[in-house]
Amino acid sequence: MHSLHALIVAILAVASVSDLTAAKEPSPPSLVGKYACTGENTLGDPYKADLQVDAKIDGFALTWTERGAVTARGIGFRHGGQLAVGYLGLAPDGATIVLYGVIVYDLPTADRLVGHWTAHDGRIGTETCQRQKGIVA
């Protein structure tokens, strides 16, 4: 019985030490903030937009604006080194949905989003967004 007790104590001690020494993954940098984006739409035309990224429980809410008008809204989540987003493109009234699609952004740095996106037409567009320093989100 004494050796069983000693074995249990030894197992618990090893488990405790391994819990203390286990390397924890560092928290990824926050994506929340304002970004300036440039891209090429699915017809190859260049565009510029501003992007606001806000935290939501386990994901993010995204709002794109061009010349002060909301042009798209999306919801997404981080998976590894990427941000996956589903979005709705909006008419100038900011309420009428004119397209829908998905974006996958690579996250090469804490301040840069490099994306490929598609809309309901199935063509691929690109977008690169750079965090705006000194702008409070």
Side-chain angles (χ1 to χ4, degrees):
M1 185 69 158
H2 186 302
S3 60
L4 179 59
H5 178 40
L7 179 61
I8 291 171
V9 169
I11 291 171
L12 291 175
V14 169
S16 296
V17 170
S18 60
D19 282 346
L20 293 174
T21 60
K24 290 195 172 190
E25 291 283 326
S27 295
S30 174
L31 299 176
V32 172
K34 288 186 179 271
Y35 296 78
C37 303
T38 58
E40 214 174 80
N41 69 22
T42 60
L43 300 175
D45 300 322
Y47 68 88
K48 292 183 179 182
D50 293 313
L51 171 62
Q52 174 66 46
V53 178
D54 295 306
K56 291 289 184 191
I57 302 171
D58 289 327
F60 302 93
L62 294 85
T63 304
W64 290 263
T65 57
E66 293 182 39
R67 296 176 294 287
V70 174
T71 56
R73 294 188 187 275
I75 192 79
F77 66 94
R78 184 193 310 245
H79 182 73
Q82 295 183 312
L83 175 64
V85 178
Y87 72 92
L88 300 173
L90 304 172
D93 66 9
T96 305
I97 298 169
V98 294
L99 61 93
Y100 54 88
V102 295
I103 305 169
V104 177
Y105 289 107
D106 289 320
L107 309 171
T109 70
D111 296 323
R112 190 170 170 88
L113 310 173
V114 179
H116 290 85
W117 58 274
T118 188
H120 60 280
D121 65 4
R123 295 186 179 121
I124 304 293
T126 60
E127 182 170 88
T128 299
C129 304
Q130 185 69 41
R131 187 189 308 265
Q132 300 301 286
K133 299 289 186 183
I135 297 176
V136 178

